[in-house]
């Protein structure tokens, strides 16, 4: 993987006037922002009584170099929030109902409804699987068990810190938490990989360079940090019992020592210790008394003192603001298309957040709200910053610094979002949903749940969603292969490839989804009485908006110019073109 | 640069030349693999013209490649020099490892640069420096050598990618990061495992007229969206469709069955795995390793 650093090379800036100008311009903008901030803070000392989303907007506004874009249209908003909170565009009916509703509280109500839906838990499952496993190939823990564990955790509103504690402390002895071992087991327990990924994914610090020496360019990343982290795992390994069941075992001995490859120095040793934590006291036992279960052939040893067991509670403790900052920054990036600290795994003093006070506010409020991911996402979705338009009436968005949040940033759809959205738009999803609903209605046991209490209704929704998901998820494979990044490395920025275009142009998948059948998009459109209604149905379904006057006229004229026999083909051309457009490819 | 191929066949030399001359490949990079005969596709007259004017770059990037001590820069008789000796070459004063006797005879055609030092311990960063000539700087991404070559060497209106990157594994695609500020037009088209891109044939179900019609609508929708939201992302995405169209027009370029059978041998030798570009790549790769 290409190493990254955020070191401002003054000499390089001197050599490159353009970069220098940009740097100076940015500094001035930041400076201006600071003055505004002071003004804002002094005028709103009692801000604490306000909702979090209102305070977020104040802090964002305080650093805006210019006027913000107006709020997004209802069409833009409904598409955006569906994609962000459920991972898919809305159905035609949902989009139409929302856009046509005159209820002034409809945005807030929609956010609530989506966060309560089974699709929200699914979206979080997909997102956190990507963050933590990075599309690594399936190894020791079946993907199905792991994803169900994640989905159920988010459906139940499990606090984020508890989820992390489970993942970092599961050892296989609690059968309900076996899937949580995936983080360790599917990395084959490789101590350097585990160390690097704990630093990167839970503390937002990519300490890889510090494996061999202090980071040459980031003063904050020391070799002792790397090995302090490694020492938690160093005595542990994967243990396989006679039934071929995997566990994590630990020895009572094994010290960690290290020295810089650059320096001729004596090796140093370190106990398990998180960056900047005090030196821990470790219990000592007499020789022969270190184990609860002593090591022996075919026996999983259990030490009296487990270094690994200390990791989860220490990492998630109230002292670790970096643990909180890492996750709120990642969730911010999920919603806003860019982290307050960017890249998300390079938190350090020389790469400060664009809005330091905002990052700390989010981190502390999130902890204060019991690490409730759903609550935080609701607050983010409720901000004016999130609900802004992605175009600006007077300024080219390219001229605005991305971290100004004056306009909504364009976010490329993830492979999963893209795949589910094509399935939704073409009408394949609706057919599968109808199939599942039909089965459930025919099943007397589930039919009873229809009118039952809220909890059982919810259960029914989850069962229905799960069947639907399991049947259609395999269709996403091609999208993940073509649009996803390489396994085992962080999700890259936008990667547009000729292979993706060829897949849309010539691949059989999308063409087969567009063949008119049942109530799918092209069958529905063909049944409509006039060209204008047909054009509207296709635009609304694929792009979640109605065509503007110009677009409608052009498309209607083009349709009317074709003989009746060519109408179905012409409708397909329109639907395909919208699916293949940049507007569809991006969340805007 | 003339390479000495193990089999010495005209097929290897000539077809590769034609590929380099005609594919519009400003650069052809292989990671752990080498470019290969791609076939006698079209326009021999144009090939001659291009050969006379066009410079091409073949970059063989051996990630985890052989040690310089056993290849270009032997240090015999030293603690770290290893067990092999140095031998004289066709250029007086230049000695290389005894493991490269064939290459030694061709040394007058080669240039060794022994002064390269990246001052960098991290492989990823080192690789970036080798590809871009720049120290990684997160505020400025720089184009890779291949993208620069594509920008400077490929013909003005050549529809084909100017930078082809053959990787040993599967996958494939376009690495838009390669081109940095030069833009996706100069990014590498990745041929994973040397295989031609999938989906390069327009299906029978879509007539040419229908395709033109739908592409015209797509372009119109994109223009509408980009009026106020034109970004690097929208540009990159829309350009891939133009590139796809051009690639489809010239897809025979990747068809190994159109390779010449100049010396009467079968085009695809049976013991070399699946037909396609990878067959040839595998062959040349072996050559590369043993008899560079």
């Amino acid at each position: 993987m290409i190493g990254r650093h955020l070191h401002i090379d003054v000499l390089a800036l001197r050599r490159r006037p353009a970069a220098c100008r940009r740097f100076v311009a940015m500094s001035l903008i930041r400076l201006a922002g600071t003055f505004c901030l002071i003004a804002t803070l002094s005028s709103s000392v009692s801000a604490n009584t306000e909702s979090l989303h209102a305070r977020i907007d104040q802090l964002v506004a305080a650093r805006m170099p210019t006027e913000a874009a107006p709020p997004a249209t209802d069409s833009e908003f409904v598409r955006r929030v569906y994609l962000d909170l459920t991972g898919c565009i809305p159905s035609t009916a949902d989009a139409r109902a929302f856009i046509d509703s005159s209820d002034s509280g409809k945005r807030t109500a929609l956010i609530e409804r989506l966060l309560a839906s089974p699709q929200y838990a699914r979206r979080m499952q997909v997102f956190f699987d990507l963050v933590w496993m990075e599309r690594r190939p399936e190894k020791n823990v079946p993907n199905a068990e792991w994803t169900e564990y994640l989905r159920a955790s988010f459906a139940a509103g499990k606090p984020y810190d508890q989820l992390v504690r489970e993942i970092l402390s599961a050892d296989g002895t609690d059968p309900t938490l076996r899937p949580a071992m995936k983080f360790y087991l599917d990395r084959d327990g490789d101590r350097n990989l585990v160390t690097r990924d704990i630093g990167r994914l839970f503390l937002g610090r990519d300490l890889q360079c510090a494996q061999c020496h202090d980071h040459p360019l980031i003063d904050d990343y020391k070799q002792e940090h790397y090995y302090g982290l490694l020492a938690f795992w160093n005595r542990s390994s994967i243990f396989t019992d006679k039934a071929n069941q995997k566990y994590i075992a630990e020895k009572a001995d094994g010290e960690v020592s290290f020295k810089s490859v650059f320096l001729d120095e004596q090796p140093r040793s370190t106990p398990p210790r998180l960056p900047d934590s005090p030196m821990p006291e470790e219990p000592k036992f007499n020789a022969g008394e270190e184990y609860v279960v002593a090591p022996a052939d075919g026996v999983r040893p259990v030490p009296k003192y487990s270094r690994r067991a200390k990791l989860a509670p220490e990492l998630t403790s109230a002292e670790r603001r970096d643990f909180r900052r890492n996750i709120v920054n990642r969730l911010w990036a999920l919603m806003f298309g860019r982290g307050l600290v960017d890249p998300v795994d390079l938190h350090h003093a020389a790469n400060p957040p664009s809005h330091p006070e905002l990052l700390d506010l989010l981190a502390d409020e999130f902890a204060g709200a019991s690490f409730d991911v759903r609550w935080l996402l609701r607050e983010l979705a409720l901000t004016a910053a999130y609900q802004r338009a992605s175009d600006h009436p007077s300024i080219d968005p390219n001229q605005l610094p991305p971290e100004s949040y004056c306009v909504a940033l364009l976010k490329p759809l993830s492979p999963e979002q893209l795949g589910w959205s094509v399935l939704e738009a073409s009408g394949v999803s609706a057919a599968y949903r109808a199939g599942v609903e039909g089965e459930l209605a025919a099943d007397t046991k589930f039919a009873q749940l229809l009118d039952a209490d809220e909890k059982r209704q919810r259960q029914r929704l989850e069962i229905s969603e799960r069947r639907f998901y399991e049947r259609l998820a395999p269709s996403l494979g091609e999208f993940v292969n073509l649009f996803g990044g390489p396994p085992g490395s962080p999700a890259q920025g936008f990667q547009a490839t000729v292979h993706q275009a060829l897949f849309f142009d010539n691949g059989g998948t999308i063409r087969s989804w567009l063949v008119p059948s049942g109530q799918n998009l092209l069958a529905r459109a063909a049944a409509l009485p006039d060209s204008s209604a047909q054009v509207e149905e296709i635009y609304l379904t694929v792009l979640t908006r109605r065509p503007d006057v110009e677009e409608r006229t052009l498309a209607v004229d083009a349709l009317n110019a074709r003989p009746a026999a060519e109408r179905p083909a012409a409708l397909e051309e329109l639907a395909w073109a919208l699916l293949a457009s940049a507007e569809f490819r991006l969340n805007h | 640069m003339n390479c000495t191929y193990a089999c010495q066949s005209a097929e290897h030399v000539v077809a590769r030349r034609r590929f380099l001359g005609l594919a519009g490949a400003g650069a052809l990079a292989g990671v752990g693999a080498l470019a290969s005969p791609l076939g006698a596709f079209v326009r021999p007259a144009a090939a001659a013209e291009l050969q006379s004017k066009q410079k091409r770059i073949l970059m063989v990037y051996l990630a985890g490649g052989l040690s310089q001590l056993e290849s270009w820069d032997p240090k015999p008789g030293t603690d770290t020099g290893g067990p092999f000796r140095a031998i004289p070459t066709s250029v007086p004063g230049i000695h290389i490892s005894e493991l490269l006797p064939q290459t030694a005879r061709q040394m007058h055609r080669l240039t060794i640069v022994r002064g390269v030092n990246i001052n960098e311990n991290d492989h990823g960063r080192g690789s970036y420096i080798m590809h871009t000539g720049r120290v990684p700087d997160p505020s400025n991404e720089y184009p890779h050598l291949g993208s620069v070559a594509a920008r400077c060497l490929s013909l003005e209106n050549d529809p084909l990618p100017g930078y082809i990157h053959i990787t040993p594994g599967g996958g494939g695609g376009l690495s838009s990061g390669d081109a940095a500020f030069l833009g996706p037009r100069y990014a590498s088209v990745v041929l994973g495992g040397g295989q031609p891109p999938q989906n390069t044939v327009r299906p029978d179900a879509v007539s040419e007229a229908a395709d033109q019609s739908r592409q015209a609508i797509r372009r119109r929708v994109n223009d509408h969206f980009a009026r106020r939201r034109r970004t690097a992302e929208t540009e990159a995405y829309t350009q891939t469709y133009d590139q796809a169209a051009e690639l489809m027009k010239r897809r025979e370029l990747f068809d190994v069955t159109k390779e010449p059978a100049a010396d009467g041998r079968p085009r695809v030798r049976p013991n070399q795995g699946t037909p396609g570009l990878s067959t040839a790549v595998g062959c040349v790769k072996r050559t590369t390793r043993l008899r560079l």
Side-chain angles (χ1 to χ4, degrees), chain A residues 4-6 199-207 215 218-222 225 275-276 321-333 339-356 359-360 363:
Chain A
R4 293 163 294 163
H5 68 103
L6 278 194
R200 217 158 52 84
L201 305 176
F202 297 110
L203 291 174
R205 303 187 204 199
D206 186 351
L207 296 168
H215 199 294
I218 299 175
D219 290 342
D220 293 354
Y221 293 180
K222 304 292 186 199
H225 295 154
D276 313 318
R321 210 180 206 183
D322 50 357
F323 173 75
R324 309 196 284 274
R325 284 164 53 126
N326 168 66
I327 181 60
V328 296
N329 188 52
R330 285 174 185 270
L331 291 171
W332 178 276
L340 295 167
V341 174
D342 176 71
V344 293
D345 56 5
L346 281 178
H347 289 246
H348 59 87
N351 181 34
S354 57
H355 301 68
L359 185 62
D360 283 338

Side-chain angles (χ1 to χ4, degrees), chain A residues 1-7 12 16 19 22 76 208-209 213 216-217 261-262 390-393 396-398 410 412 483 494-508 511 539 543 545 548 550-551 554-555 558 562 570 573-574 576-583 585-586 588, chain B residues 120-125 127-128 134-140 142 144 171-177 184 189-191 196-203 205-206 209-211 213-215 217-218 220-222 224-225 227-234 236-238 240-241 243-245 247-248:
Chain A
M1 196 210 114
I2 302 245
R4 293 163 294 163
H5 68 103
L6 278 194
H7 171 79
R16 290 195 300 277
R22 208 177 96 201
E76 202 173 18
Q208 183 171 37
C209 286
H213 43 72
L217 300 159
V261 296
F262 292 146
S390 61
D391 58 345
H392 198 284
D396 175 1
N398 293 306
L410 303 185
F483 295 86
F494 186 56
Q495 298 286 328
T497 77
V498 71
H499 302 255
Q500 297 164 357
L502 289 166
F503 168 70
F504 268 82
D505 275 337
N506 302 326
R511 201 167 59 256
Y539 262 87
L543 297 182
R545 67 175 175 87
D548 67 18
E550 181 196 343
E551 288 174 313
L554 268 169
R562 304 278 279 265
E573 287 159 22
L574 177 60
W576 180 90
L578 299 189
L579 285 171
S581 68
E583 183 171 349
R585 178 74 186 83
L586 299 161
H588 44 82
Chain B
E120 180 60 66
N121 247 2
D122 180 285
H123 288 286
R125 292 170 56 82
S127 175
Y128 184 86
R134 305 273 183 165
V135 173
D137 169 1
S139 60
N140 288 292
Y142 284 94
H144 288 203
L174 181 123
S175 307
S176 51
V189 167
V190 180
L191 305 185
Q198 285 184 326
N199 296 322
T200 44
V201 184
R202 181 162 44 74
V206 182
D211 190 45
S213 161
R214 65 181 189 169
Q215 301 286 0
I217 307 172
R218 180 184 59 77
R220 212 162 55 225
V221 179
N222 284 340
H224 184 273
F225 184 72
R227 264 179 222 164
R228 287 192 300 178
R229 281 175 287 212
R230 184 183 299 277
T231 66
E233 281 94 358
T234 60
Y237 189 63
T238 53
T240 58
Y241 282 85
Q243 207 167 17
L247 210 62
M248 283 159 63

